[in-house]
PDB file of all heavy atoms in Angstrom:
ATOM      1  N   SER A 829       9.925-216.447 -51.372  1.00  0.00           N
ATOM      2  CA  SER A 829      10.157-217.317 -52.518  1.00  0.00           C
ATOM      3  C   SER A 829      10.644-218.661 -52.023  1.00  0.00           C
ATOM      4  O   SER A 829      11.075-218.788 -50.856  1.00  0.00           O
ATOM      5  CB  SER A 829      11.184-216.706 -53.475  1.00  0.00           C
ATOM      6  OG  SER A 829      12.411-216.498 -52.829  1.00  0.00           O
ATOM      7  N   GLY A 830      10.570-219.664 -52.875  1.00  0.00           N
ATOM      8  CA  GLY A 830      11.144-220.966 -52.556  1.00  0.00           C
ATOM      9  C   GLY A 830      10.155-222.060 -52.260  1.00  0.00           C
ATOM     10  O   GLY A 830      10.550-223.204 -52.035  1.00  0.00           O
ATOM     11  N   GLY A 831       8.871-221.744 -52.225  1.00  0.00           N
ATOM     12  CA  GLY A 831       7.894-222.784 -51.966  1.00  0.00           C
ATOM     13  C   GLY A 831       7.806-223.749 -53.142  1.00  0.00           C
ATOM     14  O   GLY A 831       8.399-223.533 -54.195  1.00  0.00           O
ATOM     15  N   GLY A 832       7.051-224.812 -52.926  1.00  0.00           N
ATOM     16  CA  GLY A 832       6.873-225.780 -53.995  1.00  0.00           C
ATOM     17  C   GLY A 832       6.410-227.113 -53.478  1.00  0.00           C
ATOM     18  O   GLY A 832       5.923-227.221 -52.353  1.00  0.00           O
ATOM     19  N   LEU A 833       6.572-228.118 -54.315  1.00  0.00           N
ATOM     20  CA  LEU A 833       6.131-229.468 -54.007  1.00  0.00           C
ATOM     21  C   LEU A 833       7.314-230.325 -53.586  1.00  0.00           C
ATOM     22  O   LEU A 833       8.377-230.275 -54.213  1.00  0.00           O
ATOM     23  CB  LEU A 833       5.472-230.072 -55.232  1.00  0.00           C
ATOM     24  CG  LEU A 833       4.938-231.503 -55.109  1.00  0.00           C
ATOM     25  CD1 LEU A 833       3.827-231.571 -54.076  1.00  0.00           C
ATOM     26  CD2 LEU A 833       4.449-231.988 -56.473  1.00  0.00           C
ATOM     27  N   ALA A 834       7.138-231.085 -52.525  1.00  0.00           N
ATOM     28  CA  ALA A 834       8.180-231.970 -52.044  1.00  0.00           C
ATOM     29  C   ALA A 834       7.546-233.269 -51.554  1.00  0.00           C
ATOM     30  O   ALA A 834       6.342-233.317 -51.302  1.00  0.00           O
ATOM     31  CB  ALA A 834       8.974-231.316 -50.911  1.00  0.00           C
ATOM     32  N   GLN A 835       8.369-234.272 -51.427  1.00  0.00           N
ATOM     33  CA  GLN A 835       7.912-235.523 -50.844  1.00  0.00           C
ATOM     34  C   GLN A 835       8.355-235.588 -49.386  1.00  0.00           C
ATOM     35  O   GLN A 835       9.314-234.906 -48.986  1.00  0.00           O
ATOM     36  CB  GLN A 835       8.481-236.700 -51.620  1.00  0.00           C
ATOM     37  CG  GLN A 835       7.934-236.830 -53.031  1.00  0.00           C
ATOM     38  CD  GLN A 835       8.372-238.104 -53.727  1.00  0.00           C
ATOM     39  OE1 GLN A 835       9.395-238.678 -53.396  1.00  0.00           O
ATOM     40  NE2 GLN A 835       7.580-238.556 -54.684  1.00  0.00           N
ATOM     41  N   ALA A 836       7.660-236.387 -48.625  1.00  0.00           N
ATOM     42  CA  ALA A 836       8.031-236.560 -47.231  1.00  0.00           C
ATOM     43  C   ALA A 836       9.498-237.001 -47.145  1.00  0.00           C
ATOM     44  O   ALA A 836       9.931-237.871 -47.892  1.00  0.00           O
ATOM     45  CB  ALA A 836       7.131-237.592 -46.561  1.00  0.00           C
ATOM     46  N   GLY A 837      10.225-236.337 -46.235  1.00  0.00           N
ATOM     47  CA  GLY A 837      11.645-236.617 -46.072  1.00  0.00           C
ATOM     48  C   GLY A 837      12.547-235.708 -46.858  1.00  0.00           C
ATOM     49  O   GLY A 837      13.751-235.646 -46.602  1.00  0.00           O
ATOM     50  N   ASP A 838      11.983-234.985 -47.808  1.00  0.00           N
ATOM     51  CA  ASP A 838      12.761-234.050 -48.618  1.00  0.00           C
ATOM     52  C   ASP A 838      13.067-232.765 -47.860  1.00  0.00           C
ATOM     53  O   ASP A 838      12.588-232.554 -46.733  1.00  0.00           O
ATOM     54  CB  ASP A 838      11.993-233.699 -49.903  1.00  0.00           C
ATOM     55  CG  ASP A 838      12.037-234.792 -50.939  1.00  0.00           C
ATOM     56  OD1 ASP A 838      12.750-235.799 -50.725  1.00  0.00           O
ATOM     57  OD2 ASP A 838      11.331-234.643 -51.960  1.00  0.00           O
ATOM     58  N   SER A 839      13.831-231.921 -48.516  1.00  0.00           N
ATOM     59  CA  SER A 839      14.170-230.601 -47.980  1.00  0.00           C
ATOM     60  C   SER A 839      13.724-229.516 -48.940  1.00  0.00           C
ATOM     61  O   SER A 839      13.715-229.713 -50.166  1.00  0.00           O
ATOM     62  CB  SER A 839      15.677-230.489 -47.752  1.00  0.00           C
ATOM     63  OG  SER A 839      16.139-231.436 -46.818  1.00  0.00           O
ATOM     64  N   LEU A 840      13.356-228.385 -48.369  1.00  0.00           N
ATOM     65  CA  LEU A 840      13.042-227.188 -49.141  1.00  0.00           C
ATOM     66  C   LEU A 840      13.590-225.993 -48.381  1.00  0.00           C
ATOM     67  O   LEU A 840      13.699-226.035 -47.145  1.00  0.00           O
ATOM     68  CB  LEU A 840      11.539-227.002 -49.311  1.00  0.00           C
ATOM     69  CG  LEU A 840      10.808-227.738 -50.425  1.00  0.00           C
ATOM     70  CD1 LEU A 840       9.317-227.417 -50.358  1.00  0.00           C
ATOM     71  CD2 LEU A 840      11.362-227.356 -51.791  1.00  0.00           C
ATOM     72  N   ALA A 841      13.911-224.942 -49.121  1.00  0.00           N
ATOM     73  CA  ALA A 841      14.387-223.713 -48.490  1.00  0.00           C
ATOM     74  C   ALA A 841      13.532-222.551 -48.945  1.00  0.00           C
ATOM     75  O   ALA A 841      13.257-222.394 -50.133  1.00  0.00           O
ATOM     76  CB  ALA A 841      15.841-223.473 -48.839  1.00  0.00           C
ATOM     77  N   LEU A 842      13.110-221.752 -48.004  1.00  0.00           N
ATOM     78  CA  LEU A 842      12.351-220.542 -48.277  1.00  0.00           C
ATOM     79  C   LEU A 842      13.226-219.322 -48.001  1.00  0.00           C
ATOM     80  O   LEU A 842      14.129-219.376 -47.159  1.00  0.00           O
ATOM     81  CB  LEU A 842      11.121-220.471 -47.382  1.00  0.00           C
ATOM     82  CG  LEU A 842      10.166-221.654 -47.391  1.00  0.00           C
ATOM     83  CD1 LEU A 842       8.985-221.370 -46.469  1.00  0.00           C
ATOM     84  CD2 LEU A 842       9.688-221.970 -48.798  1.00  0.00           C
ATOM     85  N   SER A 843      12.942-218.254 -48.707  1.00  0.00           N
ATOM     86  CA  SER A 843      13.614-217.003 -48.421  1.00  0.00           C
ATOM     87  C   SER A 843      12.601-215.878 -48.454  1.00  0.00           C
ATOM     88  O   SER A 843      11.544-215.989 -49.065  1.00  0.00           O
ATOM     89  CB  SER A 843      14.736-216.730 -49.419  1.00  0.00           C
ATOM     90  OG  SER A 843      14.223-216.606 -50.735  1.00  0.00           O
ATOM     91  N   CYS A 844      12.930-214.807 -47.779  1.00  0.00           N
ATOM     92  CA  CYS A 844      12.059-213.646 -47.697  1.00  0.00           C
ATOM     93  C   CYS A 844      12.933-212.393 -47.666  1.00  0.00           C
ATOM     94  O   CYS A 844      13.738-212.233 -46.748  1.00  0.00           O
ATOM     95  CB  CYS A 844      11.197-213.724 -46.442  1.00  0.00           C
ATOM     96  SG  CYS A 844      10.277-212.211 -46.084  1.00  0.00           S
ATOM     97  N   ALA A 845      12.724-211.556 -48.653  1.00  0.00           N
ATOM     98  CA  ALA A 845      13.505-210.322 -48.747  1.00  0.00           C
ATOM     99  C   ALA A 845      12.658-209.135 -48.319  1.00  0.00           C
ATOM    100  O   ALA A 845      11.538-208.960 -48.798  1.00  0.00           O
ATOM    101  CB  ALA A 845      13.998-210.132 -50.177  1.00  0.00           C
ATOM    102  N   ALA A 846      13.223-208.345 -47.430  1.00  0.00           N
ATOM    103  CA  ALA A 846      12.553-207.136 -46.961  1.00  0.00           C
ATOM    104  C   ALA A 846      13.093-205.926 -47.704  1.00  0.00           C
ATOM    105  O   ALA A 846      14.300-205.819 -47.943  1.00  0.00           O
ATOM    106  CB  ALA A 846      12.765-206.974 -45.462  1.00  0.00           C
ATOM    107  N   SER A 847      12.199-205.018 -48.028  1.00  0.00           N
ATOM    108  CA  SER A 847      12.612-203.780 -48.689  1.00  0.00           C
ATOM    109  C   SER A 847      11.776-202.628 -48.154  1.00  0.00           C
ATOM    110  O   SER A 847      10.783-202.837 -47.453  1.00  0.00           O
ATOM    111  CB  SER A 847      12.449-203.899 -50.204  1.00  0.00           C
ATOM    112  OG  SER A 847      11.090-204.092 -50.554  1.00  0.00           O
ATOM    113  N   GLY A 848      12.180-201.426 -48.486  1.00  0.00           N
ATOM    114  CA  GLY A 848      11.478-200.243 -47.996  1.00  0.00           C
ATOM    115  C   GLY A 848      12.191-199.672 -46.779  1.00  0.00           C
ATOM    116  O   GLY A 848      13.410-199.681 -46.707  1.00  0.00           O
ATOM    117  N   LEU A 849      11.422-199.227 -45.808  1.00  0.00           N
ATOM    118  CA  LEU A 849      11.999-198.577 -44.625  1.00  0.00           C
ATOM    119  C   LEU A 849      12.407-199.633 -43.606  1.00  0.00           C
ATOM    120  O   LEU A 849      11.818-199.729 -42.518  1.00  0.00           O
ATOM    121  CB  LEU A 849      10.990-197.598 -44.041  1.00  0.00           C
ATOM    122  CG  LEU A 849      10.575-196.445 -44.960  1.00  0.00           C
ATOM    123  CD1 LEU A 849       9.517-195.574 -44.288  1.00  0.00           C
ATOM    124  CD2 LEU A 849      11.787-195.616 -45.338  1.00  0.00           C
ATOM    125  N   THR A 850      13.417-200.390 -43.932  1.00  0.00           N
ATOM    126  CA  THR A 850      13.850-201.477 -43.060  1.00  0.00           C
ATOM    127  C   THR A 850      14.729-200.962 -41.932  1.00  0.00           C
ATOM    128  O   THR A 850      15.322-199.886 -42.015  1.00  0.00           O
ATOM    129  CB  THR A 850      14.609-202.543 -43.851  1.00  0.00           C
ATOM    130  OG1 THR A 850      15.728-201.926 -44.494  1.00  0.00           O
ATOM    131  CG2 THR A 850      13.719-203.187 -44.894  1.00  0.00           C
ATOM    132  N   SER A 851      14.796-201.736 -40.878  1.00  0.00           N
ATOM    133  CA  SER A 851      15.602-201.415 -39.703  1.00  0.00           C
ATOM    134  C   SER A 851      16.594-202.536 -39.450  1.00  0.00           C
ATOM    135  O   SER A 851      16.242-203.712 -39.556  1.00  0.00           O
ATOM    136  CB  SER A 851      14.723-201.243 -38.475  1.00  0.00           C
ATOM    137  OG  SER A 851      15.512-201.227 -37.290  1.00  0.00           O
ATOM    138  N   LYS A 852      17.823-202.207 -39.080  1.00  0.00           N
ATOM    139  CA  LYS A 852      18.837-203.218 -38.812  1.00  0.00           C
ATOM    140  C   LYS A 852      18.530-204.007 -37.554  1.00  0.00           C
ATOM    141  O   LYS A 852      19.117-205.067 -37.325  1.00  0.00           O
ATOM    142  CB  LYS A 852      20.213-202.581 -38.697  1.00  0.00           C
ATOM    143  CG  LYS A 852      20.365-201.605 -37.531  1.00  0.00           C
ATOM    144  CD  LYS A 852      21.754-201.011 -37.486  1.00  0.00           C
ATOM    145  CE  LYS A 852      21.898-200.031 -36.337  1.00  0.00           C
ATOM    146  NZ  LYS A 852      21.694-200.669 -35.032  1.00  0.00           N
ATOM    147  N   ASP A 853      17.615-203.510 -36.731  1.00  0.00           N
ATOM    148  CA  ASP A 853      17.307-204.170 -35.464  1.00  0.00           C
ATOM    149  C   ASP A 853      16.037-205.020 -35.528  1.00  0.00           C
ATOM    150  O   ASP A 853      15.600-205.544 -34.510  1.00  0.00           O
ATOM    151  CB  ASP A 853      17.138-203.120 -34.369  1.00  0.00           C
ATOM    152  CG  ASP A 853      18.415-202.341 -34.120  1.00  0.00           C
ATOM    153  OD1 ASP A 853      19.492-202.958 -34.130  1.00  0.00           O
ATOM    154  OD2 ASP A 853      18.323-201.114 -33.924  1.00  0.00           O
ATOM    155  N   ALA A 854      15.458-205.172 -36.675  1.00  0.00           N
ATOM    156  CA  ALA A 854      14.182-205.868 -36.784  1.00  0.00           C
ATOM    157  C   ALA A 854      14.318-207.369 -36.581  1.00  0.00           C
ATOM    158  O   ALA A 854      15.325-207.974 -36.948  1.00  0.00           O
ATOM    159  CB  ALA A 854      13.555-205.600 -38.143  1.00  0.00           C
ATOM    160  N   THR A 855      13.281-207.931 -36.002  1.00  0.00           N
ATOM    161  CA  THR A 855      13.135-209.393 -35.930  1.00  0.00           C
ATOM    162  C   THR A 855      12.348-209.854 -37.151  1.00  0.00           C
ATOM    163  O   THR A 855      11.413-209.177 -37.592  1.00  0.00           O
ATOM    164  CB  THR A 855      12.388-209.792 -34.655  1.00  0.00           C
ATOM    165  OG1 THR A 855      13.240-209.547 -33.525  1.00  0.00           O
ATOM    166  CG2 THR A 855      11.993-211.258 -34.668  1.00  0.00           C
ATOM    167  N   MET A 856      12.748-210.978 -37.699  1.00  0.00           N
ATOM    168  CA  MET A 856      12.020-211.551 -38.835  1.00  0.00           C
ATOM    169  C   MET A 856      11.659-212.990 -38.501  1.00  0.00           C
ATOM    170  O   MET A 856      12.335-213.638 -37.686  1.00  0.00           O
ATOM    171  CB  MET A 856      12.861-211.487 -40.109  1.00  0.00           C
ATOM    172  CG  MET A 856      13.193-210.066 -40.528  1.00  0.00           C
ATOM    173  SD  MET A 856      14.116-209.972 -42.086  1.00  0.00           S
ATOM    174  CE  MET A 856      12.819-210.358 -43.274  1.00  0.00           C
ATOM    175  N   GLY A 857      10.604-213.462 -39.109  1.00  0.00           N
ATOM    176  CA  GLY A 857      10.183-214.810 -38.782  1.00  0.00           C
ATOM    177  C   GLY A 857       9.238-215.389 -39.813  1.00  0.00           C
ATOM    178  O   GLY A 857       8.995-214.788 -40.862  1.00  0.00           O
ATOM    179  N   TRP A 858       8.719-216.573 -39.476  1.00  0.00           N
ATOM    180  CA  TRP A 858       7.821-217.315 -40.357  1.00  0.00           C
ATOM    181  C   TRP A 858       6.616-217.834 -39.595  1.00  0.00           C
ATOM    182  O   TRP A 858       6.752-218.320 -38.461  1.00  0.00           O
ATOM    183  CB  TRP A 858       8.555-218.501 -40.987  1.00  0.00           C
ATOM    184  CG  TRP A 858       9.677-218.115 -41.895  1.00  0.00           C
ATOM    185  CD1 TRP A 858      10.988-217.946 -41.545  1.00  0.00           C
ATOM    186  CD2 TRP A 858       9.595-217.843 -43.287  1.00  0.00           C
ATOM    187  NE1 TRP A 858      11.717-217.568 -42.659  1.00  0.00           N
ATOM    188  CE2 TRP A 858      10.882-217.500 -43.738  1.00  0.00           C
ATOM    189  CE3 TRP A 858       8.547-217.853 -44.224  1.00  0.00           C
ATOM    190  CZ2 TRP A 858      11.163-217.184 -45.071  1.00  0.00           C
ATOM    191  CZ3 TRP A 858       8.828-217.536 -45.542  1.00  0.00           C
ATOM    192  CH2 TRP A 858      10.122-217.212 -45.952  1.00  0.00           C
ATOM    193  N   PHE A 859       5.466-217.719 -40.233  1.00  0.00           N
ATOM    194  CA  PHE A 859       4.241-218.359 -39.776  1.00  0.00           C
ATOM    195  C   PHE A 859       3.749-219.249 -40.914  1.00  0.00           C
ATOM    196  O   PHE A 859       4.207-219.135 -42.051  1.00  0.00           O
ATOM    197  CB  PHE A 859       3.171-217.321 -39.450  1.00  0.00           C
ATOM    198  CG  PHE A 859       3.351-216.662 -38.104  1.00  0.00           C
ATOM    199  CD1 PHE A 859       4.395-215.781 -37.872  1.00  0.00           C
ATOM    200  CD2 PHE A 859       2.469-216.928 -37.071  1.00  0.00           C
ATOM    201  CE1 PHE A 859       4.559-215.170 -36.633  1.00  0.00           C
ATOM    202  CE2 PHE A 859       2.615-216.333 -35.822  1.00  0.00           C
ATOM    203  CZ  PHE A 859       3.659-215.446 -35.605  1.00  0.00           C
ATOM    204  N   ARG A 860       2.801-220.112 -40.624  1.00  0.00           N
ATOM    205  CA  ARG A 860       2.214-220.929 -41.675  1.00  0.00           C
ATOM    206  C   ARG A 860       0.734-221.152 -41.403  1.00  0.00           C
ATOM    207  O   ARG A 860       0.288-221.151 -40.273  1.00  0.00           O
ATOM    208  CB  ARG A 860       2.930-222.275 -41.808  1.00  0.00           C
ATOM    209  CG  ARG A 860       2.856-223.181 -40.589  1.00  0.00           C
ATOM    210  CD  ARG A 860       3.734-224.414 -40.798  1.00  0.00           C
ATOM    211  NE  ARG A 860       3.748-225.295 -39.635  1.00  0.00           N
ATOM    212  CZ  ARG A 860       4.503-226.383 -39.529  1.00  0.00           C
ATOM    213  NH1 ARG A 860       5.324-226.736 -40.532  1.00  0.00           N
ATOM    214  NH2 ARG A 860       4.454-227.139 -38.449  1.00  0.00           N
ATOM    215  N   GLN A 861       0.004-221.327 -42.504  1.00  0.00           N
ATOM    216  CA  GLN A 861      -1.428-221.579 -42.422  1.00  0.00           C
ATOM    217  C   GLN A 861      -1.727-222.843 -43.184  1.00  0.00           C
ATOM    218  O   GLN A 861      -1.562-222.900 -44.416  1.00  0.00           O
ATOM    219  CB  GLN A 861      -2.215-220.403 -43.006  1.00  0.00           C
ATOM    220  CG  GLN A 861      -3.707-220.502 -42.830  1.00  0.00           C
ATOM    221  CD  GLN A 861      -4.409-219.216 -43.195  1.00  0.00           C
ATOM    222  OE1 GLN A 861      -3.806-218.248 -43.659  1.00  0.00           O
ATOM    223  NE2 GLN A 861      -5.713-219.160 -42.949  1.00  0.00           N
ATOM    224  N   SER A 862      -2.162-223.863 -42.449  1.00  0.00           N
ATOM    225  CA  SER A 862      -2.420-225.168 -43.052  1.00  0.00           C
ATOM    226  C   SER A 862      -3.767-225.158 -43.760  1.00  0.00           C
ATOM    227  O   SER A 862      -4.653-224.360 -43.426  1.00  0.00           O
ATOM    228  CB  SER A 862      -2.405-226.235 -41.961  1.00  0.00           C
ATOM    229  OG  SER A 862      -1.169-226.233 -41.288  1.00  0.00           O
ATOM    230  N   PRO A 863      -3.978-226.054 -44.716  1.00  0.00           N
ATOM    231  CA  PRO A 863      -5.248-226.110 -45.438  1.00  0.00           C
ATOM    232  C   PRO A 863      -6.417-226.314 -44.486  1.00  0.00           C
ATOM    233  O   PRO A 863      -6.366-227.162 -43.591  1.00  0.00           O
ATOM    234  CB  PRO A 863      -5.069-227.326 -46.356  1.00  0.00           C
ATOM    235  CG  PRO A 863      -3.607-227.454 -46.537  1.00  0.00           C
ATOM    236  CD  PRO A 863      -2.988-227.011 -45.244  1.00  0.00           C
ATOM    237  N   GLY A 864      -7.454-225.522 -44.679  1.00  0.00           N
ATOM    238  CA  GLY A 864      -8.651-225.635 -43.859  1.00  0.00           C
ATOM    239  C   GLY A 864      -8.526-225.011 -42.486  1.00  0.00           C
ATOM    240  O   GLY A 864      -9.460-225.072 -41.683  1.00  0.00           O
ATOM    241  N   ASN A 865      -7.378-224.407 -42.209  1.00  0.00           N
ATOM    242  CA  ASN A 865      -7.169-223.795 -40.899  1.00  0.00           C
ATOM    243  C   ASN A 865      -7.159-222.282 -41.063  1.00  0.00           C
ATOM    244  O   ASN A 865      -6.368-221.736 -41.839  1.00  0.00           O
ATOM    245  CB  ASN A 865      -5.847-224.275 -40.323  1.00  0.00           C
ATOM    246  CG  ASN A 865      -5.726-223.990 -38.837  1.00  0.00           C
ATOM    247  OD1 ASN A 865      -6.293-223.032 -38.334  1.00  0.00           O
ATOM    248  ND2 ASN A 865      -4.969-224.825 -38.144  1.00  0.00           N
TER     249      ASN A 865
END
């Protein structure tokens, strides 16, 4: 959650909640896919 529209120089915050069979030792991260890529 947390995506949206911003202007250059602005700030945005994303969050990601994990549920189900989660592990306390897991690594979490972010990837992104740019338009046309």
